[in-house]
Amino acid sequence: MASFVLRQSAPLMAFAKLALAEMDAVMVVEVVTGGKVPADAEPRSDASEVVAWTGGMLVELLCFVVAFAFIKCFASKRGRRVGKNPAKQSFLAVDGPPASKRMDVPPRQFCDPRRLLKELREADVVTPETVSRAVEACIGAKSLVAKVELATQAERILADRGLMPPQGACEKLLMLLAMAENGTGVEMVRRMAHVGYELSESCCRHIMYRCAESHNWLLAETLASELKATSALSLPTYKMMMKVYACVGRYDKACDLYSDMASAGLEPDAVTYGSLMKFAIRAGRSSMAEELLNKSEGTGCIK
């Protein structure tokens, strides 16, 4: 057996020398990749065999790591090139005659909301799934201002083309349109009622909460009227409507809800009585505030 020449790396040479020193094996370790054993080589010890085997394993492991890193780097660069190449993410696919265009939406991570809306406006054939994907792209915008702007554009395009998204997409759009004071949300609620969509009371309360934040009382009123047409309103919905009117300073309208609750057979709780008395005082209805106080004490809500 012979000594080997290590030309792979300096750390491997250092490791070999250290291993030999600890085993008290006096020899020079040199590893030559693909080298031949000299004829006059001295027999090596068991320690040199261990070092040679360890060195080979380290070289194979190093080659594997380098190959894996190269493949991963190449795949990631190729993925970025595909994502940036407009030709490989076409939003339109020809279906049937050349004059007919069918809108085909790519995965959400490659969706540009403005481009999707443009294609939605120009495409000849649009499926409900395509409309839902376009709505999802608008909702996925980065800022709230952009979301509201894109939702408004999407609703106007859908209304112009006579398209109605699925009910789940409509509810998501209404959540954003509640933040816009341009009447687009009111138009969408009416279109939903025309096609037979019925919003749940819980969903309406969530939208009304957004309306209170953006002072969009007209949309909240429209939702309340649509709910009354299908079913009676509950006390939490009346309380949410009071909050909407209070946020815009319409205390008279908030006080008028008390008679609506009485007509529906609902008894206000202590919080509602307190809010109604405050609204009555701010609206200049001192007699109503006194009446509410007496009634709340009689029912035991306020002691």
Side-chain angles (χ1 to χ4, degrees), residues 39-274:
D40 57 347
E42 298 179 1
R44 65 179 182 180
S45 63
D46 294 338
S48 62
E49 294 180 0
V50 173
V51 172
W53 179 83
T54 306
M57 292 296 295
L58 290 176
V59 171
E60 291 180 3
L61 179 61
L62 180 61
C63 294
F64 175 78
V65 172
V66 171
F68 178 78
F70 175 77
I71 293 173
K72 185 176 180 180
C73 180
F74 176 77
S76 62
K77 288 183 178 180
R78 181 177 176 81
R80 287 196 295 270
R81 287 198 300 269
V82 171
K84 294 180 180 179
N85 190 356
K88 295 185 179 181
Q89 49 175 338
S90 176
F91 286 54
L92 290 175
V94 177
D95 184 16
S100 175
K101 292 188 296 182
R102 180 182 177 88
M103 187 174 176
D104 188 14
V105 183
R108 183 172 178 177
Q109 60 267 26
F110 297 116
C111 288
D112 181 7
R114 300 187 185 279
R115 183 174 180 178
L116 278 176
L117 292 179
K118 180 180 178 181
E119 299 291 346
L120 184 64
R121 185 186 296 109
E122 298 175 356
D124 295 336
V125 181
V126 181
T127 62
E129 293 77 11
T130 299
V131 176
S132 299
R133 294 294 300 276
V135 172
E136 289 291 338
C138 296
I139 296 173
K142 294 183 179 180
S143 64
L144 180 60
V145 176
K147 290 180 181 180
V148 175
E149 179 185 355
L150 291 171
T152 303
Q153 294 179 12
E155 167 55 19
R156 288 174 178 171
I157 293 173
L158 294 172
D160 292 341
R161 300 204 57 179
L163 300 172
M164 177 58 66
Q167 184 167 352
C170 290
E171 293 175 358
K172 293 179 181 179
L173 274 180
L174 275 177
M175 287 288 184
L176 294 176
L177 294 177
M179 309 296 290
E181 300 181 12
N182 49 21
T184 312
V186 177
E187 297 174 2
M188 186 168 190
V189 172
R190 292 172 180 169
R191 292 203 307 124
M192 291 175 64
H194 181 71
V195 298
Y197 287 168
E198 293 185 3
L199 292 171
S200 65
E201 192 172 2
S202 176
C203 178
C204 288
R205 282 201 299 270
H206 281 86
I207 299 174
M208 289 176 182
Y209 182 81
R210 295 284 186 92
C211 293
E213 292 179 340
S214 60
H215 297 178
N216 192 354
W217 63 271
L218 187 58
L219 177 57
E221 264 191 355
T222 306
L223 291 171
S225 62
E226 292 295 334
L227 283 176
K228 287 181 181 179
T230 56
S231 61
L233 301 184
S234 62
L235 183 60
T237 304
Y238 277 111
K239 292 168 68 174
M240 186 59 66
M241 280 301 302
M242 289 181 188
K243 180 177 181 179
V244 173
Y245 286 135
C247 288
V248 296
R250 299 174 66 90
Y251 301 110
D252 287 331
K253 298 287 290 183
C255 294
D256 292 339
L257 292 177
Y258 175 67
S259 59
D260 295 341
M261 285 189 291
S263 301
L266 297 175
E267 182 66 29
D269 54 9
V271 176
T272 307
Y273 270 120

Side-chain angles (χ1 to χ4, degrees), residues 264-295:
L266 297 175
E267 182 66 29
D269 54 9
V271 176
T272 307
Y273 270 120
S275 300
L276 283 171
M277 284 187 285
K278 180 175 64 175
F279 299 152
I281 293 173
R282 292 186 178 181
R285 299 184 180 183
S286 56
S287 58
M288 181 180 178
E290 185 177 355
E291 177 187 352
L292 289 170
L293 178 60
N294 296 332
K295 191 168 184 178

